[in-house]
Amino acid sequence: DGNGIHLADDFRIGFGDGANSRPDFQIGTENGTYLGIRAGEGSDTDDLAISTSGRLGIGTTSPSSLLHVSESSGTVAHIYGGSSPTLLFEAGAGDTNFIFKQGGSNRFLLGYEDGDAGFRFYDYNSSTTMVFFKNGGNVGIGTTNPGVQLDIYNTDHAILRLLAGTNKSASMRLRNDAQDWDVNCQTTDNFAIYDQTGGAAALTIAPSTYAATFSGDVTISKNDAKLTVFASNTGDKEAIVIDRNTASNGDSQEIRWKLQGDSYPGGYILHEYDDASNSSLAFGVRSSGTPATALSINSSKNSTFNGSVTSNTGFVTNEGNLKRLSSATINDNNVNNVAQVNQKSFLVYVNDSAGGFSSMFFHVGG
């Protein structure tokens, strides 16, 4: 037409040594739909095709994108760039993605998401972003807005699992500039909080029995702190409660024995500060459903019983602690001391005539 060479439809040009019935290379059109290049003697298949819309197909004559590569098996593409190669994908605006497709369906996507400003791994099956690397360095699993270095989110239960081999331990190590701590599932199957720097377990918990062993002091520090221990294998769940008695007017601590959920204790020990230098103790029991103090000991170590005192073997005390009663008359020269217990009871200290035996007994007045 005066501007070049015009080839009719299905016209091909061959290149080669002409030793065979067909040339080594062919270039031509196919029904006017694309320009094809064939390589190899006797080939009837175009290896490279350029469609009329400007799309390039390698291994396909029907390219569906600007570059469409198709291979039934083996390596599809091999890109070599020598030292420190770079493969550049650039978008003028919006997202830049790799999509992995199988059997005609999209499976996974890798790419930069412009809206959330980060690189994502997207699962088409669940329609969720599985892992997200946000600009700035934070990583999200199940979230595209990680607020910390590793942020894991799940609308149901979130689980992070470290699986070790047979008879091996699994650990998560926490480190700062001076100390390493391990949260550890040990080879003995115990759970442990382990001081990796010091080489010792701070806490171990046995499986099944859940018996816990602390290797140091245990401190509970909070306002009105309470420690409750109860037996879960009993129906009424007997409990021991240790806490600050907020019902007291002073600063006091209390140990109570009670049934779980019951308003009143079955017994208690109450320690109360009178001031910064003095304190008192009270021992209480449950009487007719109501707790009451049975014994009080004040800061002078004086004791008050709120009931009768019974002894099957007698009482022993230092002689100097007995209270002499000048009005008491007992016709026994061996009586050394008489002490008053109440209005009708007396505590008497007696030596036998041989001086080899001593005893204490009560004498009740008429």
Side-chain angles (χ1 to χ4, degrees), residues 295-357:
L295 168 63
S296 299
I297 304 174
N298 63 21
S299 58
S300 299
K301 296 181 286 296
N302 295 323
S303 302
T304 302
F305 289 90
N306 294 324
S308 300
V309 179
T310 303
S311 174
N312 294 326
T313 58
F315 295 86
V316 178
T317 185
N318 293 327
E319 182 177 339
N321 292 334
L322 294 174
K323 179 180 179 182
R324 292 181 179 273
L325 300 179
S326 59
S327 61
T329 302
I330 299 178
N331 296 321
D332 191 327
N333 294 328
N334 291 325
V335 174
N336 291 343
N337 287 290
V338 178
Q340 185 177 8
V341 177
N342 56 36
Q343 291 182 350
K344 292 186 177 183
S345 299
F346 297 88
L347 188 63
V348 182
Y349 176 62
V350 180
N351 286 338
D352 63 4
S353 58
F357 178 79

Side-chain angles (χ1 to χ4, degrees), residues 127-177:
S127 300
T128 58
T129 297
M130 298 184 297
V131 183
F132 191 82
F133 299 86
K134 193 171 184 65
N135 289 356
N138 289 348
V139 179
I141 298 178
T143 176
T144 59
N145 189 29
V148 294
Q149 288 173 303
L150 177 60
D151 207 344
I152 301 175
Y153 174 77
N154 193 350
T155 55
D156 195 0
H157 302 291
I159 298 175
L160 176 64
R161 182 168 72 173
L162 304 177
L163 183 61
T166 303
N167 295 325
K168 303 297 181 181
S169 65
S171 300
M172 181 172 64
R173 182 159 299 173
L174 310 177
R175 168 181 288 184
N176 64 9
D177 60 325

Side-chain angles (χ1 to χ4, degrees), residues 53-197:
S53 58
R55 295 175 176 178
L56 174 62
I58 301 176
T60 177
T61 57
S62 302
S64 59
S65 58
L66 285 177
L67 175 62
H68 186 163
V69 181
S70 177
E71 178 62 84
S72 59
S73 62
T75 302
V76 175
H78 182 177
I79 301 174
Y80 177 77
S83 177
S84 304
T86 299
L87 184 63
L88 177 63
F89 292 85
E90 182 178 358
D95 301 344
T96 305
N97 298 316
F98 288 90
I99 296 178
F100 295 84
K101 199 168 187 175
Q102 184 186 47
S105 299
N106 292 339
R107 300 300 184 186
F108 293 98
L109 178 148
L110 303 180
Y112 181 81
E113 185 179 8
D114 185 57
D116 290 317
F119 187 80
R120 62 175 173 167
F121 288 74
Y122 183 85
D123 177 20
Y124 280 100
N125 184 55
S126 61
S127 300
T128 58
T129 297
M130 298 184 297
V131 183
F132 191 82
F133 299 86
K134 193 171 184 65
N135 289 356
N138 289 348
V139 179
I141 298 178
T143 176
T144 59
N145 189 29
V148 294
Q149 288 173 303
L150 177 60
D151 207 344
I152 301 175
Y153 174 77
N154 193 350
T155 55
D156 195 0
H157 302 291
I159 298 175
L160 176 64
R161 182 168 72 173
L162 304 177
L163 183 61
T166 303
N167 295 325
K168 303 297 181 181
S169 65
S171 300
M172 181 172 64
R173 182 159 299 173
L174 310 177
R175 168 181 288 184
N176 64 9
D177 60 325
Q179 177 71 38
D180 284 358
W181 285 99
D182 285 0
V183 179
N184 179 250
C185 181
Q186 299 180 313
T187 56
T188 58
D189 300 331
N190 287 340
F191 171 82
I193 297 178
Y194 191 84
D195 179 1
Q196 185 66 34
T197 302

